[in-house]
Amino acid sequence: MDIDVRGPRFGAALTTVVLAVVLVTGSAWLLAWQTLAFALGAAGGVPRSPYGWLFRRAVRPRIGPPTEFEAPEPPRFAQAVGLVFAGLGLVGYTLGPDWLGLAATGAALAAAFLNAVFGYCLGCEMYLLVRRVTVRAE
């Protein structure tokens, strides 16, 4: 079942804010929250993430029905990629080295920002590239 394209962009906007605050404050707790949000999105799909739930409950009823849809697999893969970077960032912030926390969080922030502002999902593009390569290899 396809998903409303506005949902992942809304989630990316919230993720951008959360990760920017993490970079400014160095809060491992806030990064742990974002890591959990990524994990739920990767496991259950974007609609089952906390930001997807918030989009469905608070935003979508106010902006009307969707006019554009997308397959759920690329955004779900993007959540898994975000989970890897947030997890690395969390390791860096809690166990060290500090540069790992900053670099991994910064990379996740850059990807979320691209999706939120420009609608360009790096993780989704990675998914499509992996699919093309694996289909050719078969």
Side-chain angles (χ1 to χ4, degrees):
M1 182 171 155
D2 288 347
I3 59 174
D4 184 345
V5 298
R6 301 170 298 179
R9 281 189 82 177
F10 173 78
L14 290 179
T15 298
T16 297
V17 171
V18 168
L19 293 175
V21 171
V22 168
L23 283 177
V24 169
T25 65
S27 172
W29 289 107
L30 191 55
L31 186 55
W33 160 256
Q34 184 59 52
T35 305
L36 175 63
F38 278 138
L40 293 171
V46 174
R48 289 195 173 79
S49 73
Y51 303 150
W53 179 87
L54 184 61
F55 175 76
R56 275 193 327 280
R57 298 286 186 181
V59 177
R60 188 170 170 185
R62 288 169 176 75
I63 62 174
T67 58
E68 227 179 310
F69 296 91
E70 68 180 322
E73 294 85 7
R76 189 172 182 175
F77 181 84
Q79 292 289 296
V81 173
L83 174 61
V84 169
F85 279 92
L88 286 171
L90 195 55
V91 167
Y93 277 114
T94 57
L95 303 174
D98 289 340
W99 64 263
L100 178 61
L102 292 168
T105 303
L109 171 62
F113 178 81
L114 283 173
N115 193 357
V117 176
F118 301 108
Y120 187 80
C121 176
L122 281 175
C124 300
E125 295 299 323
M126 285 175 56
Y127 173 85
L128 296 173
L129 181 62
V130 168
R131 292 280 299 163
R132 279 188 217 118
V133 169
T134 57
V135 167
R136 286 184 188 160
E138 292 176 355

